[in-house]
Amino acid sequence: AVAQRFVLAAQRGDTADLLPLLERSAAQRLQTAAERATHHVGGRRTIAPREMLQIVDVDPTLRITGVEADDEVVAQEGALTRARVLGGRGESIDLSLIFEDGAWRVQVPAPEPAAP
């Protein structure tokens, strides 16, 4: 269910709905980046973590027809699995999930460090 909700929110560009679906470490990276951005503008404006999200490579015309996931994974703290969100034209989106705080959350890769 979280994989489907994640893709639907990404299609809408709804970063407020995406944020609680992310793994803890990704949410913390966004919080830290938002604090830095707020400091960078001299505190004239508070930057929210959701404003730091960039949504890429999600086809807004994808019509979800199902989700495939590894049924053998036990939902326990730290468990990892993959989910494939299927579209009606044969397309798919693969997501990595981790079980944290009693719920499945989407893992997102950390951005590459900027070159000096």
Side-chain angles (χ1 to χ4, degrees), residues 47-68:
I47 310 295
R50 65 179 180 77
E51 294 178 81
M52 304 307 294
L53 278 172
Q54 293 180 341
I55 302 170
V56 296
D57 297 333
V58 178
D59 181 356
T61 65
L62 174 77
R63 297 293 170 238
I64 297 173
T65 59
V67 178
E68 294 177 350

Side-chain angles (χ1 to χ4, degrees), residues 27-99:
Q28 182 57 49
R29 288 192 308 268
L30 290 169
Q31 178 66 39
T32 300
E35 289 169 1
R36 270 192 246 127
T38 297
H39 179 71
H40 186 70
V41 297
R44 292 184 303 269
R45 175 169 111 63
T46 300
I47 310 295
R50 65 179 180 77
E51 294 178 81
M52 304 307 294
L53 278 172
Q54 293 180 341
I55 302 170
V56 296
D57 297 333
V58 178
D59 181 356
T61 65
L62 174 77
R63 297 293 170 238
I64 297 173
T65 59
V67 178
E68 294 177 350
D70 186 351
D71 292 333
E72 297 179 24
V73 176
V74 177
Q76 64 185 25
E77 194 68 20
L80 301 170
T81 193
R82 306 243 339 132
R84 176 170 284 164
V85 180
L86 307 172
R89 297 184 310 256
E91 66 273 51
S92 64
I93 297 173
D94 291 328
L95 298 172
S96 296
L97 306 174
I98 185 168
F99 196 79

Side-chain angles (χ1 to χ4, degrees), residues 13-30:
D14 190 341
T15 57
D17 279 355
L18 283 175
L19 198 57
L21 302 175
L22 297 178
E23 65 179 316
R24 271 189 303 240
S25 64
Q28 182 57 49
R29 288 192 308 268
L30 290 169

